[in-house]
Amino acid sequence: MIKPYSLFAFLTLFSILSVFSSNTLTEEERWQNHAKNTEIIRDNFGVPHIYGKTDADAVFGLLYAQCEDDFNRVEHNYIWAIGRLAEIEGEKSLYSDLRARLYMSQSEAEKKFNESPEWLKQLCIAFADGINYYLYTHPEVKPKLLTRFEPWMPMYFSEGSIGGDIERVSIKKIKAFYENGTELPKLEAEKLKLLTEMAEPKGSNGIAISGDLTASGAPLLLINPHTSFYFRGEVHMVSEEGLNAYGAVTWGQFFVYQGFNEHTGWMHTSSDVDVIDEFKETVVKRNSRLFYQYGNTLKPVDSALVTLHYKDGKEVKQKNFTTYKTHHGPITHLEDGQWTASAIMWYPVNALKQSFIRTKQSDYEGFRDMMDIKTNSSNNTVYADSQGNIAYFHGNFIPKRDTQFDYRFPVDGSNPKTDWNGLHSVDENILLLNPKNGWIQNCNSTPYTAALNYSPKKTDYPAYMSRDHENFRGVHAISLLKDTKDFTLDKLITLAYDPYLPAFKVLIPGLIEAYKQSEHKELLKAPIDVLSKWDYTTSTESVAMSLANYYGRMYFKEVQRPSGLSTMELLAYWGHNSPLEERLKIFELAVEKLHNDFGSWEVPWGDINRYQRINGDIYQAFDDNKPSIAIGYASGTWGALAAYGANYTNNTKKIYGTRGNSFVAVVEFGDKVKAKSLLAGGQSGDPDSPHFSDQEKLYQNCQFKTVPYYKEDVLKRAKSQYHPGEKLK
């Protein structure tokens, strides 16, 4: 059977003729053809269901609809990706731009586009056409910078992850090297490490449950990315060429990143696979030219002049950089006084191919073949399908390395043995298919507990494939999954929002014990009594949750910690092995902060932990004096599956969520696919839209909406139907 977009035979005669025809059209004629062949139906929550004659029509309609919902975010993502952020944000963003240019120039992006297969070119052209047609038909919209979009732009933004590989390359280190020719000071590096440890964990939850454990006999999938709020919209893409994908799309991209079609579903979680390596180069100068040592030879260092522009008041200034590159990658920083290159996955054409092909697979065989492209680098994938399969892929881009070297640290680039030696095959990677326990979970935790006793064995794989670090979300998920049967969509939602916080079961008893063994401080007696009676669950009414959160956060902020410990190990240390006096001192500081900020330590969690969306800005200026709503969820640091992470640098007393549960879906793959979903806030970034905040209360109360997947259901929920360019009906 020929599968949609199989790797070897996916172009039909129809699509070949379409390509030939589209290449002879003017831009305006392409716009009109796409618009005629594309219909957008918006349901009662504003979710766009895009129906196109071809895949390119669906892409055109998708980008048009995204711009209707939040052009600001579409434009911003590309300003960032192509390295022009400083032109709107000023000099502070120069080195973000330089990082982008270190890995690709515009001419290289154009070359990649021109080398793409014809079907992918057509999708990239449709991407640009959809945005440009939106701007043409909405002259009142004034872009901040990009007045025209080009089909080569997606080459910069080929992976949908919020924490794509390039973001792991330190901007501060780049700045130190290219501005001053220096190394990032150790004190600043340690400060960065501390801020990273204190930050809300980045990542997601994916759970697949086989039909053996469900009430219907059909597999279930939890799609639960933890992103910054409003980072992805909810969409539905359909074409007459076999596309019918529903899920979350990163603003400005033309493929459903985490989602499902009628037969397969995929959920990505951020991976701890080592996919980025640093190579210390031995650089020498010969006759005013730079070379680097590689074995017994000297190879020339490639260099290029990069000119960046930046906003300075009302002026636009420019700054020139000479950038450097070896065969390992661009020089990004100094390490121990040596120029150091950072190697990442950078195959944009294949990454775009894989991202789109993934959405059209109809069974495990096709999905498994798609994974052979091996460019989904920063992610694990949890999978389920209508044939009854559940699966887990740990990473998808894993270079083969010589295990005598420790790639957790920069290696000697002059030694050819440190080079990557191709990529591991998918079968060589950590892979699970239909484990006998009947479920798979990954919460950015170790793959060696993904299926409990039927998990992969650490001894079967090289160490660089995965750290063996568990986290409290993984522990929490396992405790809920084992010995549970008769799952339904609603039961899976209940599991995904379970309020228990296992980290505090580890941390709080040690505090109570310290109090018992101390000379009792009257100030602490009442709050200790509250914690002593707590069941370690979070809710808007819980005072104990407020106390525990402030205690845990204060520990991260104030205490010098033992080095080399994971977050889970660190919390266990503070709970069991830290000095008793230290625990009481930290708790006293936490109680004092609650007093100072709220006039009492006895504050319900919902009075502190808030959701607020003031306007359509990407970065919200939170304000205690403006309306907000109570949220009972908690940080993933504490083991909350429904993670609600906050920004603690707002100059506010209340805590405002910025990331965590955003788009969430549960899917059942029976004779017909069924799904429920929830989106933080709403689909639109326009405060004047009814869909700016229409899911706010649903989000607060964990009330999911039923997904209208089949067209007859979409039409029942339809609030507007139109072609791109038409006024909303």
Side-chain angles (χ1 to χ4, degrees):
M1 182 178 69
I2 298 177
K3 297 179 175 58
Y5 277 116
S6 69
L7 298 183
F8 306 106
F10 57 84
L11 281 178
T12 62
L13 178 61
F14 175 78
S15 63
I16 292 173
L17 292 174
S18 297
V19 166
F20 176 78
S21 175
S22 67
N23 285 340
T24 64
L25 300 176
T26 66
E27 182 177 54
E28 290 78 8
E29 288 171 334
R30 283 201 317 271
W31 290 348
Q32 296 305 323
N33 274 1
H34 280 311
K36 180 180 66 176
N37 293 332
T38 306
E39 183 181 39
I40 300 171
I41 303 176
R42 289 193 181 267
D43 66 25
N44 53 320
F45 284 97
V47 175
H49 303 257
I50 298 104
Y51 294 86
K53 187 172 183 179
T54 66
D55 288 349
D57 291 330
V59 166
F60 174 87
L62 172 66
L63 270 298
Y64 184 93
Q66 284 188 52
C67 290
E68 288 183 302
D69 287 335
D70 207 329
F71 174 77
N72 180 37
R73 287 178 184 271
V74 172
E75 183 190 21
H76 185 274
N77 280 346
Y78 279 93
I79 292 172
W80 167 81
I82 67 177
R84 296 184 64 185
L85 199 57
E87 293 178 48
I88 61 169
E89 292 189 351
E91 195 170 6
K92 67 178 183 179
S93 297
L94 264 179
Y95 293 93
S96 172
D97 292 348
L98 182 59
R99 180 177 65 182
R101 303 291 184 89
L102 284 173
Y103 285 94
M104 192 156 65
S105 65
Q106 180 177 325
S107 61
E108 289 169 325
E110 291 172 352
K111 183 172 183 288
K112 295 292 184 187
F113 167 75
N114 289 323
E115 292 171 350
S116 299
E118 199 61 43
W119 68 267
L120 183 58
K121 284 184 185 177
Q122 294 306 309
L123 298 187
C124 290
I125 292 169
F127 147 86
D129 282 348
I131 304 175
N132 291 331
Y133 187 55
Y134 169 81
L135 291 174
Y136 174 77
T137 55
H138 293 76
E140 74 280 5
V141 174
K142 304 301 180 186
K144 292 179 180 176
L145 182 68
L146 302 178
T147 57
R148 179 176 174 80
F149 285 72
E150 301 291 346
W152 47 262
M153 287 181 175
M155 297 296 151
Y156 279 95
F157 199 33
S158 57
E159 211 220 3
S161 178
I162 191 170
D165 295 341
I166 196 170
E167 292 189 77
R168 301 192 200 183
V169 180
S170 169
I171 291 173
K172 287 186 177 292
K173 289 184 177 181
I174 290 173
K175 180 178 181 180
F177 179 79
Y178 281 101
E179 187 171 84
N180 302 313
T182 60
E183 202 165 328
L184 190 67
K186 293 193 182 302
L187 192 61
E188 190 170 350
E190 289 174 5
K191 183 180 178 182
L192 281 176
K193 183 181 177 185
L194 177 61
L195 289 173
T196 301
E197 290 175 347
M198 291 179 65
E200 173 68 14
K202 294 182 179 181
S204 309
N205 303 330
I207 295 175
I209 300 173
S210 79
D212 293 338
L213 298 179
T214 66
S216 67
L220 299 178
L221 180 66
L222 170 68
I223 299 172
N224 184 193
H226 294 164
T227 68
S228 56
F229 292 160
Y230 332 120
F231 183 75
R232 297 193 180 109
E234 185 172 351
V235 303
H236 185 194
M237 300 176 69
V238 186
S239 82
E240 295 176 19
E241 294 183 325
L243 176 66
N244 195 349
Y246 192 105
V249 61
T250 304
W251 295 105
Q253 293 185 316
F254 58 75
F255 49 86
V256 170
Y257 182 65
Q258 288 156 317
F260 60 94
N261 58 41
E262 189 169 20
H263 297 292
T264 66
W266 57 96
M267 168 60 209
H268 302 310
T269 65
S270 297
S271 177
D272 62 5
V273 174
D274 183 3
V275 295
I276 297 179
D277 285 328
E278 296 176 342
F279 295 86
K280 293 194 292 187
E281 310 288 19
T282 303
V283 178
V284 296
K285 184 177 280 190
R286 294 283 187 274
N287 298 323
S288 74
R289 289 195 62 193
L290 293 175
F291 297 83
Y292 64 104
Q293 188 77 36
Y294 186 66
N296 296 323
T297 65
L298 289 176
K299 300 183 72 169
V301 175
D302 292 332
S303 63
L305 179 66
V306 172
T307 299
L308 297 177
H309 296 86
Y310 64 96
K311 184 179 178 181
D312 185 9
K314 294 184 178 181
E315 291 185 73
V316 175
K317 297 182 178 179
Q318 70 177 45
K319 192 166 185 176
N320 295 322
F321 299 89
T322 301
T323 61
Y324 305 97
K325 182 181 289 188
T326 71
H327 76 283
H328 294 121
I331 302 297
T332 55
H333 63 288
L334 281 177
E335 194 77 41
D336 299 325
Q338 288 183 261
W339 287 19
T340 302
S342 295
I344 68 174
M345 189 286 291
W346 197 257
Y347 303 104
V349 174
N350 278 347
L352 283 171
K353 286 169 58 178
Q354 182 165 4
S355 292
F356 195 80
I357 289 171
R358 176 170 53 234
T359 67
K360 299 187 70 171
Q361 297 313 302
S362 60
D363 57 22
Y364 178 77
E365 182 184 355
F367 198 91
R368 167 63 186 76
D369 287 347
M370 171 274 303
M371 294 295 279
D372 280 331
I373 301 176
K374 295 186 286 195
T375 54
N376 190 24
S377 56
S378 67
N379 296 306
N380 312 310
T381 302
V382 180
Y383 166 92
D385 68 32
S386 61
Q387 286 75 41
N389 297 300
I390 62 173
Y392 173 71
F393 301 86
H394 190 72
N396 186 236
F397 174 92
I398 307 178
K400 292 181 180 179
R401 304 168 172 98
D402 189 327
T403 55
Q404 70 176 298
F405 303 104
D406 188 347
Y407 288 86
R408 293 176 302 168
F409 307 99
V411 294
D412 180 7
S414 69
N415 185 347
K417 290 182 178 180
T418 63
D419 272 8
W420 290 351
N421 187 25
L423 299 177
H424 284 281
S425 69
V426 174
D427 289 332
E428 291 171 339
N429 296 353
I430 299 172
L431 175 64
L432 264 173
L433 177 63
N434 297 325
K436 291 182 180 179
N437 61 305
W439 53 261
I440 293 169
Q441 65 80 29
N442 184 261
C443 302
N444 315 115
S445 44
T446 171
Y448 305 127
T449 60
L452 210 57
N453 296 334
Y454 299 96
S455 303
K457 301 294 182 284
K458 181 180 179 181
T459 53
D460 292 340
Y461 302 96
Y464 56 72
M465 277 199 177
S466 179
R467 297 177 305 153
D468 189 19
H469 280 180
E470 188 59 278
N471 64 36
F472 283 111
R473 281 186 293 124
V475 168
H476 191 181
I478 291 167
S479 71
L480 296 170
L481 285 164
K482 64 181 183 180
D483 304 323
T484 303
K485 298 179 180 179
D486 298 322
F487 275 102
T488 62
L489 288 179
D490 288 336
K491 197 170 181 179
L492 184 53
I493 291 170
T494 299
L495 180 152
Y497 283 77
D498 185 81
Y500 181 66
L501 302 174
F504 289 128
K505 178 67 181 296
V506 172
L507 184 64
I508 297 302
L511 169 63
I512 295 169
E513 184 61 30
Y515 180 77
K516 288 178 179 178
Q517 295 188 30
S518 71
E519 294 183 6
H520 291 186
K521 296 183 178 182
E522 192 60 31
L523 173 68
L524 300 183
K525 182 179 185 304
I528 287 289
D529 285 345
V530 169
L531 288 175
S532 298
K533 299 169 185 175
W534 190 34
D535 61 359
Y536 309 115
T537 62
T538 182
S539 69
T540 54
E541 300 82 17
S542 176
V543 172
M545 178 63 220
S546 302
L547 288 165
N549 184 78
Y550 274 68
Y551 175 57
R553 290 290 307 177
M554 195 65 71
Y555 234 130
F556 273 107
K557 181 181 178 182
E558 297 292 336
V559 174
Q560 186 79 27
R561 74 284 316 276
S563 61
L565 299 183
S566 68
T567 299
M568 195 169 180
E569 293 165 337
L570 185 58
L571 288 168
Y573 170 78
W574 287 336
H576 301 299
N577 303 113
S578 61
L580 300 183
E581 317 81 59
E582 178 182 277
R583 302 177 204 175
L584 292 175
K585 179 183 176 183
I586 294 299
F587 188 57
E588 193 170 351
L589 289 173
V591 171
E592 183 180 316
K593 181 165 179 56
L594 283 166
H595 264 292
N596 292 340
D597 287 354
F598 302 102
S600 168
W601 60 265
E602 205 167 356
V603 192
W605 180 233
D607 289 359
I608 299 171
N609 198 48
R610 311 291 291 182
Y611 172 90
Q612 185 179 75
R613 193 181 192 188
I614 299 171
N615 52 40
D617 291 350
I618 292 173
Y619 304 107
Q620 294 288 296
F622 297 114
D623 190 335
D624 287 339
N625 297 313
K626 293 184 178 179
S628 62
I629 62 173
I631 298 294
Y633 314 140
S635 169
T637 301
W638 316 132
L641 292 176
Y644 192 77
N647 183 341
Y648 285 85
T649 59
N650 303 316
N651 295 318
T652 59
K653 293 178 180 178
K654 295 176 184 178
I655 298 170
Y656 296 95
T658 58
R659 62 176 301 114
N661 273 29
S662 45
F663 170 80
V664 188
V666 288
V667 191
E668 180 179 279
F669 294 96
D671 294 334
K672 295 184 76 174
V673 67
K674 299 176 183 177
K676 294 185 176 185
S677 69
L678 184 58
L679 190 67
Q683 177 70 19
S684 175
D686 179 3
D688 294 328
S689 167
H691 306 300
F692 180 74
S693 58
D694 59 343
Q695 295 186 59
E696 188 176 273
K697 289 292 185 182
L698 300 180
Y699 183 86
Q700 179 187 38
N701 297 313
C702 185
Q703 295 175 339
F704 278 55
K705 60 189 187 293
T706 299
V707 168
Y709 180 79
Y710 296 97
K711 193 163 187 178
E712 59 267 29
D713 298 318
V714 174
L715 291 171
K716 289 175 185 176
R717 298 256 297 270
K719 293 300 180 182
S720 60
Q721 293 178 247
Y722 57 98
H723 293 274
E726 294 178 351
K727 297 294 183 183
L728 292 181
K729 296 177 183 177

